[in-house]
Amino acid sequence: MIKEGNFGPSEAIILITTTIVIKVFFSSPVSLFIKVGTAGWYATIISGLTAMLGFTFIYRLLKRFPGMDLVDIYKESFGKVLGAVVTFLFALYLFFVAESNLCEFYQTMRVYVFPLSPNWYISGLFVIALFIISYLGLESLARVSKLLIVFLIPGLLVILILAWSNYNINNMFPIFGYGLDKTILHGVIRSSAYGEVILLAVYASNLQGTRFIKHEGYYSLLISTIVISLILFTFTMCYPYYRLQEMVAPMYNLTTLIQFGRFFTRVESIFLFIWIVGSLIGISLIFYSSIWLYCKIFNINDKRPIILAGCVILFLISLLQKDIISVITGNVSLIRYYGFIPYFIIPLLALIVAAIRRKKGDSNETESEAKAQT
Amino acid sequence: MKRNPKQRLKHSLIISAIALMLLIALTSCFDANEIDDMIYIVCVGVDRGVADKWRITLQYENLKGSSPQSQSGSSSSSGDDQNQQGKEEDSLKEQVEDQGNISYVTIDAPSFFAGIDMLNTSISRKISFMHLQFIVFSQELAKSEELSTFLAPIMRFREIRETVHIYITKNKAMDIIKANTPIIGTALAKDHLIWTRESESTGFFPHSILNNFYNSLKSNRRFPITAIISLNEMKNFIEEGKPYKGELKSGGEYLSGKLPRLGLNQLEIWGVALFDGDIMVGELNGKETRVLLILRGEFERAFVNIEDPANPDYAIPLDVTVREQPKIKVNIKNGKPVITVDIKLDADILAIQSHVYYENTVNKKVLEEACANRMLDEVEKLIVKCRDLGVDPFKFGEYASRQFLTIQELEEYNWNEKFKDATFIVNLSVIVRRTGTMMKSSKIISPEGQPKEVE
């Protein structure tokens, strides 16, 4: 049986932030630029703010049911059967997200770095690493992510700073892109880009209590919003909007432009490290969360056989994807535009239903939690 | 928690199995590409083909080391003119005899990628473009609408970096490749890398990289430009004749390939090709190129010759740098653009042929004004020339985009069309900062022992 263990607020923030930010290295920014043009960098701030509002509902829900995680809350709020069904659907959704991210990862890898390697090879190696991480449990994942962030953040900053000679402020204009109305609309809808913050509620019982989860959630969202907005800002400064709409992964293109003199060129290797490690942490967390939810629904204590089976299924399903177009315009687009429903709308519904049904957590738990916090 | 020996053995077996699997998977021995399994193309030339749509010439280092080897040119083509091409090839072989460790191949192919595959059957190494330095297109192609049909698709190709240089040539691209041999050293790629950096110290040609060219091709607010690379046949160098008595030149008046020089390297990168969309519509000489780079904010430094205000027959060479990037403002008045340009330059005196005392405060001002007026005149002439051609290589349209709130408004305005109606206000100032290693030019003493007056 995997011992989940506990981890601190900093690990939780790093884990959630990495999982959210990693999307910006793939095709997500491109679909945003197609919709809002030059306004992408602040459209994502709107998304972040919307996600904060969504997280407020999640926090309210956790506050209503102190000491309980999302699975238990759904069971309490919706009733045992419906709660289990909703959780099962959410687990399936997370599995779908992990699978789509994995497909996007290996397809993009093949486009830019390993054109000759077969899909099964890249996907297979990734799934082996993912299996080992999941096998070691959540605490290991959290600790590893805290260790690697020391390399990830400076690496990212180095890339953004080195690309400064390609920045052109005129690329920021027209400042409203395709119109403020479209920017706000797509900004709100794409709040799903920050939806992984809900995983704090999934692991609520492993964290230090509702008050800590509140801080972890808001800080994760704040940091993610700043980092994503900064990266999109640099994309917009570097490339005109019509070019950004053509690319598969603008971040990789940006790194290939970096050239300082004759010697400091081809810095993609720095980016590759960030890309692969970040993706591994992000996809592992989402995958592990889906397994966690599944085991929780069916009261399975030993997750290891499920992890192994999950990895095999993940690997096989990822190979079923026909092409990169169906991944980007199909799966990823679907997740981005309807992802806010499982991430924010369902918790809001649970909160409303709990209020209507006058369901509440144990008040003793609230008191003991308050004591623990003080 | 202590594990029993059975569990420990189980864990060791699992870890060993994973390690073994990774060991096998990560070695990639069976299909690995060693460095010398590939040939790295350094230059690509593109002409209109005879046997097929495109004539593609690839130049590469043949890994034979730096010692001169036997000739390495080869050409494959089909068609009625094979005999003629054979003759050309013979003369070509003579020309590339000294290339030594450099080879080239030429093929007529329906597309770039088909050409690569066709060539891979006659070259014993896999062709790689990871170290490509430049692509040169013939002017014939650039003046037709075919350039974009070749260039745009290769943007997808991961091996070709967006920092690759793009050139247009008035000669055949194939001839440029044939003549492209390093005069100093043996490394072809290094030679080109250093060469392109001369743009920063002369301003006679721009850094025209694929990324900028492609972005401009698709832009609704700026026009593409490329540097021009030419074969100088050295015909403008007249060895014997009457001494030059004409007006004072700046040195930048020549067009690409026409410099009056003599020497080993036949190639010269000089001037700018102007494009309207994907069609080449004009050419700038060296002097105009410098002004263009100043306006685009890409100018770094150059030696500029100006007429001596006191003695117009003499030149004062100045080392000109930009004090700050040009300030450009575009206002839309009654639907027409009004462009205000503010340029600030610094200059160091390199020489005063007339020995006039320009280092004092009063004369320094005269010199600064003369330089500013001369530069201003060149800026205005260039803007009018480009406006008449209907192209905006200055990227004024990018500044104009600040006047629009949405992309729809910008697209509706159609900058590329409206630029033709633009009016300009140009302000230019020059400050002489340093006077070289001298604070004063004393007059030369004549044989009579008197200070010599300049004519």
Side-chain angles (χ1 to χ4, degrees):
Chain A
M1 195 177 97
I2 296 172
K3 195 174 179 301
E4 298 304 343
N6 289 308
F7 47 88
S10 59
E11 281 99 336
I13 291 170
I14 290 166
L15 207 52
I16 298 297
T17 306
T18 311
T19 310
I20 293 172
V21 169
I22 199 69
K23 288 188 244 2
V24 85
F25 297 157
F26 295 98
S27 64
S28 269
V30 178
S31 55
L32 180 64
F33 289 125
I34 289 171
K35 299 288 181 193
V36 302
T38 49
W41 64 275
Y42 62 84
T44 200
I45 296 177
I46 297 170
S47 302
L49 291 173
T50 312
M52 283 183 197
L53 179 70
F55 180 71
T56 307
F57 303 137
I58 297 169
Y59 166 64
R60 289 267 164 204
L61 196 63
L62 291 172
K63 209 175 164 192
R64 197 176 177 90
F65 298 95
M68 293 167 81
D69 59 30
L70 200 66
V71 183
D72 297 331
I73 293 172
Y74 280 175
K75 279 181 181 172
E76 275 293 310
S77 179
F78 293 123
K80 277 193 175 170
V81 178
L82 189 61
V85 171
V86 170
T87 312
F88 182 73
L89 290 175
F90 184 50
L92 273 184
Y93 171 75
L94 287 180
F95 193 85
F96 173 68
V97 173
E99 184 265 334
S100 303
N101 288 357
L102 176 62
C103 288
E104 200 182 10
F105 172 80
Y106 78 69
Q107 291 283 11
T108 316
M109 273 284 168
R110 283 202 64 176
V111 168
Y112 286 100
V113 195
F114 303 121
L116 302 176
S117 303
N119 293 347
W120 63 264
Y121 181 77
I122 304 172
S123 179
L125 281 178
F126 195 92
V127 170
I128 290 171
L130 185 141
F131 169 73
I132 295 168
I133 289 179
S134 305
Y135 192 86
L136 293 173
L138 184 65
E139 189 179 339
S140 309
L141 181 60
R143 305 260 182 243
V144 166
S145 65
K146 190 178 181 181
L147 180 75
L148 291 172
I149 203 79
V150 180
F151 303 101
L152 297 187
I153 289 182
L156 190 62
L157 281 176
V158 163
I159 289 168
L160 297 184
I161 292 167
L162 287 179
W164 72 269
S165 60
N166 297 295
Y167 296 161
N168 177 2
I169 192 78
N170 289 327
N171 285 339
M172 307 297 301
F173 300 95
I175 198 78
F176 288 153
Y178 287 112
L180 207 53
D181 51 342
K182 283 186 181 167
T183 305
I184 293 170
L185 177 72
H186 290 284
V188 170
I189 290 174
R190 291 177 67 94
S191 58
S192 62
Y194 296 85
E196 283 83 358
V197 73
I198 198 175
L199 300 181
L200 288 172
V202 172
Y203 301 113
S205 54
N206 286 65
L207 299 168
Q208 288 76 16
T210 318
R211 206 177 62 138
F212 281 91
I213 292 174
K214 177 187 167 188
H215 290 150
E216 287 156 11
Y218 285 122
Y219 276 124
S220 307
L221 288 172
L222 183 69
I223 297 167
S224 311
T225 308
I226 292 169
V227 174
I228 292 179
S229 179
L230 182 72
I231 294 172
L232 295 188
F233 186 79
T234 56
F235 289 169
T236 315
M237 292 258 277
C238 202
Y239 289 102
Y241 67 92
Y242 46 86
R243 257 319 291 290
L244 286 167
Q245 294 169 350
E246 291 182 343
M247 295 173 182
V248 173
M251 190 74 192
Y252 194 90
N253 282 57
L254 179 74
T255 54
T256 60
L257 277 186
I258 293 172
Q259 236 182 358
F260 272 88
R262 284 195 292 128
F263 299 103
F264 205 77
T265 58
R266 300 172 191 259
V267 294
E268 298 96 290
S269 45
I270 301 175
F271 174 60
L272 267 183
F273 174 76
I274 299 169
W275 198 5
I276 295 170
V277 170
S279 302
L280 187 61
I281 293 171
I283 298 173
S284 297
L285 179 68
I286 297 169
F287 169 77
Y288 188 78
S289 305
S290 71
I291 298 294
W292 168 289
L293 290 171
Y294 181 85
C295 291
K296 218 50 223 290
I297 298 164
F298 297 105
N299 289 324
I300 301 168
N301 286 329
D302 191 1
K303 296 184 187 68
R304 287 180 306 185
I306 310 296
I307 287 172
L308 182 62
C311 283
V312 173
I313 296 169
L314 182 72
F315 172 67
L316 293 175
I317 293 183
S318 76
L319 295 181
L320 290 178
Q321 289 292 346
K322 205 167 58 178
D323 51 42
I324 191 167
I325 301 294
S326 59
V327 176
I328 293 174
T329 59
N331 295 21
V332 178
S333 195
L334 193 75
I335 291 166
R336 217 51 77 235
Y337 279 92
Y338 298 101
F340 70 97
I341 297 170
Y343 285 141
F344 302 122
I345 300 295
I346 303 293
L348 176 64
L349 272 178
L351 186 66
I352 294 168
V353 172
I356 292 168
R357 295 180 65 197
R358 295 177 192 279
K359 293 276 182 184
K360 256 189 166 184
D362 190 355
S363 55
N364 293 334
E365 280 282 349
T366 321
E367 281 168 21
S368 61
E369 193 182 287
K371 274 180 193 170
Q373 284 170 9
T374 50
Chain B
M1 193 180 74
K2 275 198 168 182
R3 292 193 180 112
N4 61 40
K6 215 174 175 183
Q7 269 185 317
R8 274 163 58 189
L9 180 70
K10 197 176 152 191
H11 274 89
S12 306
L13 280 173
I14 291 170
I15 290 167
S16 307
I18 292 170
L20 191 69
M21 211 155 58
L22 288 176
L23 199 69
I24 295 166
L26 294 175
T27 50
S28 352
C29 277
F30 76 100
D31 62 349
N33 284 316
E34 300 295 337
I35 288 176
D36 60 354
D37 288 349
M38 325 271 275
I39 53 159
Y40 298 96
I41 305 301
V42 180
C43 318
V44 172
V46 187
D47 293 292
R48 192 169 267 162
V50 175
D52 217 322
K53 190 169 183 185
W54 308 101
R55 174 159 297 171
I56 299 158
T57 307
L58 309 178
Q59 191 178 28
Y60 54 93
E61 305 212 32
N62 56 28
L63 310 177
K64 286 182 181 172
S66 56
S67 61
Q69 302 288 327
S70 59
Q71 183 317 133
S72 2
S74 66
S75 176
S76 91
S77 180
S78 58
D80 296 331
D81 57 346
Q82 268 187 340
N83 289 337
Q84 196 191 334
Q85 282 187 2
K87 281 176 195 168
E88 280 178 13
E89 199 178 301
D90 289 339
S91 67
L92 156 81
K93 282 182 179 178
E94 283 164 26
Q95 282 182 40
V96 294
E97 197 73 42
D98 289 329
Q99 282 195 335
N101 60 330
I102 299 158
S103 306
Y104 71 89
V105 282
T106 303
I107 191 162
D108 283 5
S111 74
F112 177 64
F113 297 101
I116 297 169
D117 264 2
M118 288 157 79
L119 282 171
N120 260 325
T121 59
S122 59
I123 298 173
S124 60
R125 298 287 191 280
K126 186 162 175 53
I127 294 173
S128 167
F129 292 86
M130 300 291 268
H131 292 274
L132 185 67
Q133 292 297 319
F134 72 81
I135 306 174
V136 54
F137 294 93
S138 67
Q139 187 176 273
E140 185 193 4
L141 270 180
K143 286 192 171 175
S144 66
E145 286 180 24
E146 288 172 299
L147 183 66
S148 60
T149 58
F150 186 91
L151 195 62
I154 64 168
M155 284 295 287
R156 285 177 197 270
F157 189 36
R158 58 175 283 278
E159 285 187 14
I160 295 181
R161 300 172 77 81
E162 291 180 19
T163 49
V164 160
H165 281 76
I166 300 288
Y167 300 123
I168 298 297
T169 180
K170 290 185 240 178
N171 312 88
K172 283 182 182 171
M174 188 172 77
D175 293 340
I176 295 292
I177 300 290
K178 285 181 212 168
N180 185 34
T181 54
I183 300 301
I184 301 161
T186 52
L188 188 61
K190 184 180 176 181
D191 194 60
H192 181 261
L193 276 170
I194 297 171
W195 196 1
T196 53
R197 289 182 71 184
E198 288 307 310
S199 165
E200 291 144 30
S201 56
T202 66
F204 280 135
F205 64 91
H207 266 296
S208 50
I209 61 169
L210 181 58
N211 173 54
N212 291 344
F213 187 77
Y214 184 77
N215 287 350
S216 304
L217 263 182
K218 301 217 162 177
S219 178
N220 51 16
R221 49 188 169 174
R222 70 176 184 195
F223 290 72
I225 61 163
T226 67
I228 302 175
I229 190 167
S230 300
L231 263 180
N232 191 328
E233 289 166 2
M234 316 288 178
K235 284 180 184 166
N236 276 14
F237 182 81
I238 305 159
E239 212 164 343
E240 298 289 335
K242 286 180 184 170
Y244 179 73
K245 287 282 183 196
E247 61 175 16
L248 188 77
K249 288 183 180 176
S250 71
E253 287 84 356
Y254 303 98
L255 288 172
S256 187
K258 303 288 180 197
L259 260 69
R261 67 182 181 94
L262 195 66
L264 273 176
N265 189 13
Q266 271 196 294
L267 293 184
E268 60 197 27
I269 309 175
W270 180 275
V272 158
L274 299 171
F275 284 81
D276 185 353
D278 57 353
I279 302 169
M280 183 179 162
V281 291
E283 178 188 353
L284 301 185
N285 62 27
K287 195 167 72 174
E288 291 165 332
T289 302
R290 280 180 170 171
V291 175
L292 174 69
L293 295 186
I294 290 173
L295 288 165
R296 283 169 68 99
E298 292 167 12
F299 180 84
E300 290 202 18
R301 75 178 319 125
F303 295 162
V304 175
N305 245 5
I306 65 155
E307 271 179 12
D308 188 324
N311 300 284
D313 287 344
Y314 288 87
I316 300 181
L318 299 169
D319 183 359
V320 176
T321 52
V322 280
R323 197 182 319 152
E324 55 188 69
Q325 292 301 321
K327 284 187 182 134
I328 296 166
K329 256 189 172 178
V330 180
N331 292 313
I332 312 288
K333 283 185 183 165
N334 301 324
K336 290 180 180 175
V338 179
I339 301 165
T340 312
V341 186
D342 205 353
I343 301 165
K344 287 175 179 159
L345 302 173
D346 280 349
D348 293 352
I349 297 173
L350 291 170
I352 302 171
Q353 292 176 350
S354 64
H355 306 289
V356 173
Y357 184 27
Y358 280 114
E359 292 90 340
N360 69 33
T361 324
V362 179
N363 287 353
K364 186 170 117 17
K365 228 169 185 84
V366 174
L367 185 63
E368 286 169 351
E369 267 177 35
C371 182
N373 289 339
R374 156 81 199 287
M375 298 295 287
L376 188 64
D377 183 47
E378 286 177 10
V379 169
E380 285 172 346
K381 276 182 184 163
L382 180 67
I383 292 176
V384 170
K385 178 179 177 175
C386 291
R387 191 182 57 185
D388 292 348
L389 283 170
V391 294
D392 168 21
F394 314 103
K395 301 197 274 189
F396 289 146
E398 290 191 352
Y399 295 89
S401 63
R402 296 180 182 204
Q403 300 293 314
F404 302 95
L405 287 178
T406 64
I407 292 168
Q408 294 91 321
E409 285 174 24
L410 174 69
E411 285 172 354
E412 205 176 307
Y413 183 73
N414 193 1
W415 170 262
N416 293 359
E417 197 53 45
K418 292 287 193 310
F419 176 70
K420 291 166 190 165
D421 304 324
T423 49
F424 298 89
I425 303 160
V426 184
N427 303 307
L428 195 147
S429 72
V430 178
I431 296 176
V432 172
R433 296 285 181 186
R434 282 159 292 273
T435 56
T437 56
M438 290 162 69
M439 285 298 292
K440 189 174 188 288
S441 318
S442 305
K443 294 197 170 165
I444 290 170
I445 303 298
S446 68
E448 292 83 31
Q450 298 298 315
K452 197 175 173 182
E453 290 298 327
V454 290
E455 287 166 14

